[in-house]
Amino acid sequence: MNILELNHIDKDYKLDGGELYHALKDINVSFKKGELVSIIGESGSGKSTLMNIIGGLDSDYTGKLLFNGENIGEYSEKQLDEYRKNKIGFIFQSFNLIPHLSILDNVTIAMTLSNVSKEERVKRAEEILEQLGLKQHIHKKPNQLSGGQKQRVAIARALINDPDIIIADEPTGALDSETTDQVLKIIEDIAKRGKLVIMVTHSDKVAAHSSRVIRIADGEIIYDRKGRELAHIEETTETSNISKRAQNLSFVSAVKLAFQNMREKMSRNIWVSLGASIGIMSVILMLSLGGGLKAYMNQSINSMANPRVVEVNMDEHTDNSADSSKGMNTLLGQSPPFTNKDLETLTKIDHVDSVEKSVNIVGFGTNTISYGDKSTSVLSLSTMSSNVTDSALLKGSFPGKNEIVIQEETADALGGDIIGKTITFKWLVDEKFYSADFVVSGIANNTYVNYKDLAQVYADNGNELQPTTVYLVADDKSHTAAIKEEIEKSGYRGSAQEAMTDSFNGMIDALTIVLASISGISLFVSAIMILVILHISVVERTKEIGVLKAIGARRKDIKRIFVSEAFLIGLFSGLIAVTLTSVLGWGANSISSHMFDMNIVQMKMSYITFGIVTSIIISMLAGLLPASKAAKLEPVDSLRRE
Ligand code: ADP
Ligand code: MG
């Protein structure tokens, strides 16, 4: 039976002007196993066109091409890939080895595409390379070999998947006469072992070696003659059985191939990754900076406040009795006082251990402390509460009965060494001056006296002191959150400072998002950069893509190799970004911890993961376009590229 049969094959090339060029005209010919067929003819007569059709590289023809009785024209894309991969071995005039792969990898690539195990691949390749006398060169790159050696590597590659048909398009065209003889001998042996070999040649000497000679002129078969009989060789060496599983290029192999290629263009890829990493780096840095600022805010608030204490203020809106006699306090932004009924309500809240009354007297120049003939004004006087923690005290002790703690600058204004001395405090509330003597017990961050002492002064003046702030002490700090909720429900306000922190946190969050988004714009630039680089890579490797397709790579495989490259660039730039951020963060932190006793950049594992994942996703998205461009290249067109 004929292994290959061509019935009424016609081929037209569409020219730029829209005309057709009739390259093959009604070709009818059939081939058997074990034949060594030479196709001869003038340049331009249609030999390569015919080879490409037989090899499954060109499906744009009319007529029937039967392989073992099956019409190849009716093959699906997948079947055609299988045909190219396992039934056909292609040998080109210009070798078409992949320059950045070793000899071994060049030969095994067709098996890699079928996901054959590495062990099996290497075993099989070594066998064939040994038969072709190339065993000692397997780790070299193609450009380290002579022309004859390169062509033998190409023959090994064509044989690796044990195909039924070998197609050689002018295999000796680029060789000198001595190596031509070597290569022809090898090709002859392939046919003698029972394969169909179809070889295009210019040389009559070469044609004389074959069992059949077909001459083509102007796209037509002029003659078809029998040549000398070939002696059949029985397979002497046991070639290992290779599995022709219909498997595909694995992701790991794709990444490996991509990596091998990228290594070739190492510095270019490093620069691109570095460029792309800057966007990711600034995003991670902004997030970490926002985290650091918030942590700092919260930490400084927590260290000053007692976690068991909840501050309560009157909500201005609940005060219906706002009359002008309260003038000064309201003017200074102070809340209205708590009534006994308010205090009762607050006492009843669950988990409240005690209720502490407090006032804060603020005066701009109207409140003074004097000692001897020295006098100075104080901005604010507060009463002691559980909310004042030890961190507030700088020197001495907190005030006992009829005692006061004052601020450093007050002490300085009164002549320095003032602890233990009696001072006079004079203050104005509701157009009335009050005055009282206190013993200075210490220096603190604010001026503090006890509420009881102050209440006594008011009572002595025929007035009643009303609390403007109340501190609720919880039985346990785990209950403060619930208490805060409860007071807000009852229409009171919490701590002004805390409200400020909350809004600060909100602002930092918003700012972080804005800054991170601005940095995000540079991600867009990175994406375009990666797209351009991969595009260039596709253009540079058009021929290689053609070769891969000729030996059976599917569109998917090609796409996978380029997407893998994008994946690797994304991964590298993500890793570079994390490294850069760590270095920058470390630098910023060593400065900030020196100056403010804090780490301003707080990197989290989640930011790092986010950065790397984003980098990979962006890079792969950018790679999709060039990758599918590569996948769509027609094998014949890409092979013709010089
Ligand atoms: P050979 O291999 O015998 O030298 P080819 O098969 O390469 O010849 O080409 C046969 C004819 O078809 C030539 O005239 C060539 O110019 C033409 N041809 C080949 N490829 C194309 C193409 N892609 N577009 C237009 N014409 C083509
Ligand atoms: Mg040709």
Side-chain angles (χ1 to χ4, degrees):
M1 183 173 132
N2 294 325
I3 185 168
L4 205 63
E5 212 175 300
L6 284 73
N7 293 333
H8 306 296
I9 297 287
D10 272 89
K11 165 76 189 179
D12 287 324
Y13 283 113
K14 287 178 194 69
L15 301 181
D16 286 341
E19 317 139 66
L20 296 178
Y21 180 80
H22 205 168
L24 291 180
K25 299 163 189 163
D26 195 33
I27 303 285
N28 292 285
V29 64
S30 52
F31 303 97
K32 288 190 172 57
K33 280 189 172 185
E35 280 190 292
L36 174 58
V37 184
S38 277
I39 310 268
I40 54 175
E42 305 276 299
S43 174
S45 55
K47 306 179 298 290
S48 295
T49 305
L50 184 64
M51 294 300 104
N52 291 338
I53 290 174
I54 294 175
L57 292 178
D58 184 357
S59 320
D60 183 23
Y61 58 86
T62 57
K64 270 190 197 165
L65 173 62
L66 303 175
F67 171 74
N68 282 334
E70 288 175 359
N71 187 358
I72 300 230
E74 286 166 4
Y75 274 2
S76 67
E77 195 181 311
K78 195 176 160 199
Q79 283 173 311
L80 204 58
D81 289 333
E82 284 300 314
Y83 173 74
R84 281 201 292 257
K85 188 150 67 183
N86 293 323
K87 310 297 182 200
I88 300 285
F90 239 108
I91 302 168
F92 307 91
Q93 175 180 354
S94 49
F95 325 126
N96 284 347
L97 300 176
I98 298 170
H100 59 264
L101 296 183
S102 70
I103 300 312
L104 188 65
D105 288 338
N106 261 290
V107 172
T108 54
I109 183 99
M111 291 167 99
T112 308
L113 291 171
S114 307
N115 201 18
V116 175
S117 77
K118 185 174 178 187
E119 222 172 80
E120 201 178 336
R121 288 199 309 254
V122 172
K123 184 163 173 264
R124 168 93 181 141
E126 282 182 345
E127 252 169 40
I128 293 182
L129 285 166
E130 181 155 29
Q131 282 170 20
L132 296 176
L134 289 165
K135 185 132 197 239
Q136 66 272 39
H137 303 296
I138 59 173
H139 296 299
K140 287 188 180 167
K141 292 277 173 71
N143 64 9
Q144 294 169 309
L145 297 183
S146 72
Q149 287 170 327
K150 280 187 208 168
Q151 196 58 300
R152 280 185 278 153
V153 173
I155 293 171
R157 178 178 64 188
L159 291 175
I160 193 80
N161 271 351
D162 195 26
D164 299 317
I165 303 170
I166 297 287
I167 291 173
D169 194 349
E170 303 194 37
T172 57
L175 302 178
D176 57 46
S177 66
E178 196 188 326
T179 38
T180 293
D181 290 344
Q182 280 178 14
V183 167
L184 282 177
K185 172 85 179 59
I186 294 167
I187 291 176
E188 199 181 310
D189 282 352
I190 296 171
K192 284 179 177 170
R193 289 201 172 89
K195 296 196 189 300
L196 167 62
V197 179
I198 305 175
M199 173 171 61
V200 171
T201 182
H202 273 312
S203 140
D204 293 332
K205 186 181 139 206
V206 171
H209 277 265
S210 37
S211 66
R212 183 173 168 191
V213 180
I214 295 174
R215 176 174 280 278
I216 296 186
D218 273 336
E220 284 177 289
I221 294 183
I222 304 297
Y223 68 72
D224 184 348
R225 274 184 209 154
K226 260 200 160 329
R228 64 191 182 103
E229 198 69 38
L230 286 187
H232 187 72
I233 314 178
E234 278 304 319
E235 204 69 68
T236 44
T237 46
E238 183 79 16
T239 47
S240 54
N241 261 339
I242 49 154
S243 35
K244 291 192 177 181
R245 288 163 294 183
Q247 283 212 26
N248 303 320
L249 177 67
S250 71
F251 186 66
V252 177
S253 303
V255 171
K256 234 185 207 162
L257 282 174
F259 185 73
Q260 273 167 327
N261 174 63
M262 286 172 75
R263 215 171 35 190
E264 209 59 18
K265 298 266 161 23
M266 198 56 141
S267 62
R268 180 167 93 187
N269 285 311
I270 287 176
W271 284 113
V272 170
S273 302
L274 195 67
S277 75
I278 288 171
I280 297 288
M281 183 197 70
S282 34
V283 172
I284 305 180
L285 206 59
M286 288 307 145
L287 293 175
S288 308
L289 208 62
L293 279 177
K294 255 170 80 175
Y296 176 65
M297 288 291 299
N298 296 337
Q299 175 199 323
S300 54
I301 293 302
N302 288 341
S303 73
M304 304 237 277
N306 180 340
R308 263 179 68 202
V309 174
V310 178
E311 182 181 322
V312 190
N313 289 292
M314 279 302 254
D315 197 333
E316 255 111 307
H317 306 293
T318 57
D319 177 36
N320 300 319
S321 62
D323 58 73
S324 58
S325 68
K326 293 203 173 136
M328 197 62 186
N329 275 356
T330 318
L331 233 149
L332 291 173
Q334 292 228 323
S335 340
F338 285 82
T339 62
N340 284 336
K341 200 167 147 259
D342 290 321
L343 294 174
E344 225 170 276
T345 315
L346 292 170
T347 318
K348 280 183 194 148
I349 294 177
D350 280 348
H351 300 296
V352 170
D353 244 11
S354 61
V355 175
E356 298 173 356
K357 295 187 253 184
S358 169
V359 286
N360 184 30
I361 295 166
V362 180
F364 295 101
T366 51
N367 304 340
T368 55
I369 291 181
S370 50
Y371 172 66
D373 56 354
K374 294 198 178 83
S375 177
T376 181
S377 73
V378 287
L379 184 64
S380 116
L381 171 82
S382 296
T383 57
M384 283 298 292
S385 72
S386 300
N387 203 39
V388 182
T389 56
D390 289 345
S391 65
L393 188 68
L394 305 174
K395 235 185 257 171
S397 56
F398 279 128
K401 190 169 162 50
N402 288 327
E403 286 181 340
I404 190 169
V405 289
I406 58 173
Q407 285 178 293
E408 190 100 60
E409 62 254 38
T410 314
D412 288 345
L414 298 178
D417 189 21
I418 194 89
I419 296 182
K421 309 277 165 55
T422 303
I423 53 93
T424 302
F425 186 55
K426 205 171 166 192
W427 71 100
L428 176 75
V429 173
D430 294 344
E431 293 160 14
K432 192 173 151 102
F433 272 107
Y434 296 85
S435 168
D437 289 347
F438 295 101
V439 177
V440 178
S441 69
I443 308 290
N445 64 357
N446 192 7
T447 313
Y448 289 113
V449 295
N450 283 305
Y451 188 85
K452 269 189 187 160
D453 294 341
L454 213 56
Q456 188 59 49
V457 177
Y458 274 66
D460 292 347
N461 284 278
N463 265 327
E464 195 192 343
L465 179 63
Q466 286 175 304
T468 49
T469 299
V470 166
Y471 292 100
L472 307 181
V473 183
D475 52 10
D476 187 274
K477 71 175 178 203
S478 63
H479 292 129
T480 48
I483 295 174
K484 272 179 204 167
E485 243 172 65
E486 189 58 37
I487 61 162
E488 262 158 48
K489 245 190 260 164
S490 313
Y492 300 99
R493 267 195 306 125
S495 145
Q497 197 180 19
E498 207 167 79
M500 213 167 70
T501 322
D502 281 351
S503 69
F504 250 126
N505 277 347
M507 266 160 54
I508 293 174
D509 278 346
L511 203 67
T512 306
I513 290 172
V514 169
L515 289 178
S517 314
I518 292 173
S519 323
I521 294 173
S522 48
L523 293 183
F524 191 69
V525 179
S526 313
I528 292 176
M529 208 159 57
I530 292 168
L531 195 144
V532 169
I533 282 297
L534 283 174
H535 188 87
I536 292 173
S537 182
V538 170
V539 171
E540 282 174 347
R541 289 156 71 195
T542 302
K543 187 135 190 194
E544 179 188 330
I545 294 165
V547 175
L548 286 172
K549 286 215 165 155
I551 61 179
R554 304 164 308 158
R555 284 180 178 210
K556 254 191 221 166
D557 299 329
I558 304 287
K559 198 166 183 172
R560 203 170 270 184
I561 293 172
F562 282 92
V563 170
S564 302
E565 241 182 87
F567 166 83
L568 286 175
I569 292 180
L571 181 68
F572 290 152
S573 44
L575 292 176
I576 294 174
V578 169
T579 314
L580 285 181
T581 318
S582 307
V583 172
L584 280 180
W586 178 81
N589 282 344
S590 53
I591 294 172
S592 76
S593 63
H594 198 74
M595 286 173 68
F596 314 108
D597 202 20
M598 65 169 287
N599 285 335
I600 185 93
V601 178
Q602 301 208 344
M603 257 167 99
K604 283 193 203 152
M605 202 55 215
S606 57
Y607 300 156
I608 293 175
T609 318
F610 172 79
I612 293 179
V613 169
T614 311
S615 175
I616 291 175
I617 290 176
I618 287 176
S619 183
M620 283 174 85
L621 282 179
L624 277 182
L625 207 71
S628 57
K629 182 191 151 84
K632 281 198 197 109
L633 287 175
E634 281 301 327
V636 218
D637 296 336
S638 22
L639 280 172
R640 197 176 296 116
R641 193 78 69 90
E642 281 316 319

